[in-house]
Amino acid sequence: MKSDYIVGHLIDGKMVSGTGKSQDVYNPATGAAQKRVLLADQKTVELAIASAQAAFPAWRATPPLKRARVMSRLKQLLEQNAEQICQLITAEHGKVLSDAMGELQRGIENVEYASYAPELLKGEHSKNAGPGIDSWSEMQPLGVVAGITPFNFPAMVPLWMWPLAIACGNTFVLKPSERDPSSTLLIAQLALEAGLPPGVLNVVNGGKEAVGTLLSDPRVQAVSFVGSTPIAEYVYATGTAHGKRVQALGGAKNHAIVMPDADLPMAVSALMGAAYGSCGERCMAIPLLVAVGDATADALIAGLKAEIAKMRVGPGTDASNDMGPLVTREHFEKVRGYVEEGVAGGATLVVDGRKVAVPEGYEDGYYLGPCLFDHLTPSMKIYQEEIFGPVLGVVRVNCLQEAMDLIDAHEYGNGTCIFTRDGEAARYFSDNIQVGMVGVNVPLPVPVAYHSFGGWKRSLFGDLGVYGPDGVRFNTRRKTITQRWPSAGVREGAVFSFPSNQ
Ligand code: NAD
């Protein structure tokens, strides 16, 4: 059954339909099409860009403290409306409600960081850089900034981007995932309620055409992207070819090393959440477990099997479930295909989630139970490629160096972690591993809002991570001013040597 509920665009402070096609938004828990989302065409995206461009001069001139106060009010509104936002996330993404609450809370922390704008934008000042000369650096906004975000964190990832960009004095056009757009849109509407003037934040829903327009329009100064690596690479190449500043965060395949001396029950609990939380649809998820020594591998597999047997899979709205469905039927088929590929490729399927039982009424949802493979090898496709589903594979190695070499040889470098009680091993690992975010006995080392998020290798294209100090730098342009006010009436002759303090 088709729904007539339409998800539109937020342009210039108003909900509009614009022009373009539309597509279904599904409830992955039931498989039913529940809404339609409009897909902005070039003309509609250009309206949003024009609105952001028009709003820029006044917003740039608004004192940072006033911009920051909007963020403080938004934080309160997000807390007050958390239940409704998370219901929307679960209804369109499928993740369990407690997980949606977690992502929203992390997003709120980014709003809180953006509310420190006056402190973040103070710049640097040097008195008497030369005789009677003062010099200072300012962090000036760029103008119109665009954000393009993935389906897996519809609240948090957009909140990594636009609150800080806007607090820095930019105006923004956000293009969220067309697969679960409603929570993102509701949050943007709350930002208007918090006091953002029309045009400062615009949201256009859409796909390729909308993205292409944002990447080529000369009025867009910078683009933040988060999504899969092939699209990140395209966004980086296209955006920079059009002279824009671009940060494009891509996919991942994160390894967890477990050393023989680790607290194994603790590692098992941590890995359960990291591998199967959010159905494995997290860029910081752990889909690969590298066990040092066969005894470690055997003990971990026994522990994981026992924990998996206790897991409940079903709709995310039922608080007793640990894991919901995958996001779409297409993605479900893709992840299932990887499980089949793993079996055909010679890995040992220890736990098969393909025939998971779900509650009555949810048979058409996109459920795949937790899957556990043993004896993965680096030549296997299920080792190399990002699956983005509830599939954990165990690789057996003999020593820490062998485990680290595997990680360093992998194309992705987003996150990694080690479980050990040996401080020297942990220190050597975190010092040398070629990965951007590292956990020591911490399975999901997602940096807090006042640090910055970013992977290495093919997990990030560009120089700067998102949010935190990198986010401030990405969203501002440094200007350095050197100034003197000579006494009236003093006239000096021309100086032909290069100015210095010699
Ligand atoms: P995706 O790359 O399919 O989509 C991301 C965005 O790009 C969406 O807004 C989508 O509409 C747009 N898009 C998709 N195809 C496009 C095309 N051909 N041309 C132009 N735009 C296009 O990613 P997804 O499936 O929504 O999200 C999952 C991926 O995101 C995973 O690979 C995951 O690892 C990654 N991710 C990375 C991070 C990180 O911080 N590194 C965080 C979250 C998710």
Side-chain angles (χ1 to χ4, degrees), residues 234-311:
Y234 152 74
V235 165
Y236 186 76
T238 311
T240 51
H242 283 89
K244 302 182 196 315
R245 184 180 289 187
V246 183
Q247 56 180 188
L249 285 78
K253 188 86 177 179
N254 307 315
H255 301 62
I257 298 179
V258 181
M259 298 289 283
D261 68 347
D263 177 340
L264 293 186
M266 183 193 92
V268 166
S269 311
L271 290 166
M272 285 294 297
Y276 303 120
S278 204
C279 219
E281 292 169 321
R282 290 178 182 148
C283 68
M284 290 294 276
I286 295 289
L288 292 174
L289 194 178
V290 188
V292 178
D294 280 330
T296 311
D298 293 342
L300 286 171
I301 285 178
L304 288 165
K305 267 176 78 175
E307 289 301 313
I308 290 172
K310 293 185 216 155
M311 269 182 76

Side-chain angles (χ1 to χ4, degrees), residues 149-152 175 178-179 208 226-228 250-251 283 386 453:
T149 53
F151 81 84
N152 68 320
K175 207 295 294 167
E178 63 279 33
R179 287 185 260 178
K208 268 189 203 179
V226 174
S228 60
C283 68
E386 181 180 45
F453 185 108

Side-chain angles (χ1 to χ4, degrees), residues 131-134 136 483-488:
I133 296 177
D134 301 329
W136 69 93
Q483 172 177 280
R484 75 170 176 165
W485 293 98
S487 302

Side-chain angles (χ1 to χ4, degrees), residues 45 48-49 51-53 56 59 140-148 158 160-175 199-204 214-215 217-225 244-247 466 471-477:
V45 177
I49 297 171
S51 165
Q53 176 90 336
F56 178 60
W59 187 244
Q140 297 201 343
L142 306 173
V144 179
V145 175
I148 301 157
W160 283 358
M161 295 178 182
W162 65 258
L164 191 52
I166 283 175
C168 288
N170 302 288
T171 54
F172 208 88
V173 180
L174 174 67
K175 207 295 294 167
V200 171
L201 172 64
N202 303 274
V203 183
V204 286
L214 291 171
L215 295 177
D217 193 295
R219 292 168 293 183
V220 175
Q221 303 299 316
V223 179
S224 291
F225 172 89
K244 302 182 196 315
R245 184 180 289 187
V246 183
Q247 56 180 188
V466 272
V472 176
R473 293 202 49 195
F474 182 82
N475 284 294
T476 56
R477 192 175 278 150

